[in-house]
Amino acid sequence: MKYIYMGLYFTFLFFSYSCTTTDKTTDIKPDKDKQYFYPGGKEETILNEKGEVVQISNEDPEFFQKTSKDWRELFRVIISSEGYQVRQIRKSEWIKRAPDEGGDKLTMEELKPYNKVDYVDDGVVAIELSPYTGKIQNLNFDTRVPRINELAKIVQNDATRWKLIHKNEDEPSILEYKIFYQIKLQKNASREEVIDLLKKKK
């Protein structure tokens, strides 16, 4: 009889725990505050720097969220010494950027010497591709050039090193596109170093 009572007692405890657990799961609510953005249009598939399909939400930088007003804008890039982020907002079914983690890190390294002050700049690069090889044929800044010459060179070199994957390598469908860049510098210099830098510029 003693074992029967013990069995009933443990059955009761297990049932109570199950009910409690079930009640807790009903408290989980979907995140209604999360918003999604489609800068190139809702029909477009968005890719990141790894070539993965992603969505752009209000948790992403505002630079990625803005609606595109230029049909040739295919890529948006944010570079700092701490990160390299890409969002392809259009035409990913026809052309893609080949992932290049090593090259991304080298570009990040190139920004480190300029981390003297907190600074944000931007630039737009217009690129023309060869209709025969699909490779870069011409590259120029368009509408926006980074104000610091050294940063402009880093952006230009970055856009040049990209390798592109075409849906049809024999007859590339996309022959021109633009990359919108945002460059971020982060202050990690002493006051004396900043003063010395300003004196050299004068």
Side-chain angles (χ1 to χ4, degrees):
M1 186 67 100
K2 177 181 178 182
Y3 294 108
I4 293 174
Y5 283 123
M6 287 180 68
L8 290 172
Y9 175 73
F10 284 115
T11 302
F12 174 77
L13 285 177
F14 177 78
F15 178 77
S16 300
Y17 175 77
S18 299
C19 291
T20 305
T21 305
T22 304
D23 289 339
K24 284 183 179 179
T25 58
T26 58
D27 292 336
I28 300 173
K29 298 177 181 178
D31 186 359
K32 294 180 180 179
D33 295 328
K34 200 163 187 178
Q35 296 177 318
Y36 293 97
F37 300 86
Y38 308 90
K42 285 192 175 183
E43 72 284 358
E44 298 288 352
T45 300
I46 300 170
L47 304 179
N48 66 8
E49 62 279 359
K50 296 178 181 178
E52 300 168 334
V53 176
V54 295
Q55 288 184 298
I56 297 173
S57 75
N58 52 345
E59 294 177 355
D60 288 297
E62 188 178 346
F63 182 72
F64 287 153
Q65 300 174 18
K66 295 177 182 177
T67 301
S68 174
K69 297 179 181 178
D70 190 334
W71 62 270
R72 289 170 295 180
E73 179 190 4
L74 300 194
F75 301 94
R76 292 180 180 179
V77 182
I78 298 177
I79 315 173
S80 73
S81 60
E82 304 302 315
Y84 189 100
Q85 295 176 280
V86 178
R87 294 294 182 273
Q88 180 172 353
I89 63 170
R90 284 191 180 95
K91 307 297 182 183
S92 59
E93 73 274 24
W94 297 105
I95 189 172
K96 296 177 184 178
R97 170 190 181 269
D100 180 14
E101 188 177 354
D104 298 348
K105 287 181 178 178
L106 286 175
T107 301
M108 290 161 57
E109 285 292 323
E110 288 183 18
L111 286 180
K112 284 186 177 180
Y114 304 102
N115 278 339
K116 305 297 183 184
V117 292
D118 292 324
Y119 179 78
V120 178
D121 206 347
D122 59 274
V124 179
V125 178
I127 295 171
E128 295 177 10
L129 303 177
S130 165
Y132 306 106
T133 64
K135 295 180 180 179
I136 295 176
Q137 184 171 266
N138 193 21
L139 184 151
N140 290 295
F141 279 105
D142 180 86
T143 67
R144 281 288 302 145
V145 182
R147 291 182 285 273
I148 300 175
N149 288 336
E150 290 80 1
L151 297 184
K153 289 176 184 175
I154 290 173
V155 165
Q156 200 167 26
N157 291 338
D158 185 71
T160 304
R161 72 166 171 99
W162 283 20
K163 291 182 180 178
L164 303 166
I165 302 170
H166 297 271
K167 183 178 181 179
N168 187 345
E169 293 292 342
D170 296 326
E171 288 186 44
S173 300
I174 306 296
L175 296 178
E176 59 178 328
Y177 64 90
K178 292 182 182 181
I179 308 173
F180 282 54
Y181 279 92
Q182 185 177 86
I183 310 102
K184 292 185 175 182
L185 302 182
Q186 300 164 342
K187 181 180 178 181
N188 61 12
S190 66
R191 182 173 178 274
E192 289 73 21
E193 286 175 314
V194 174
I195 291 172
D196 186 52
L197 180 69
L198 292 173
K199 283 180 179 178
K200 287 179 181 178
K201 283 188 175 291
K202 287 180 181 179

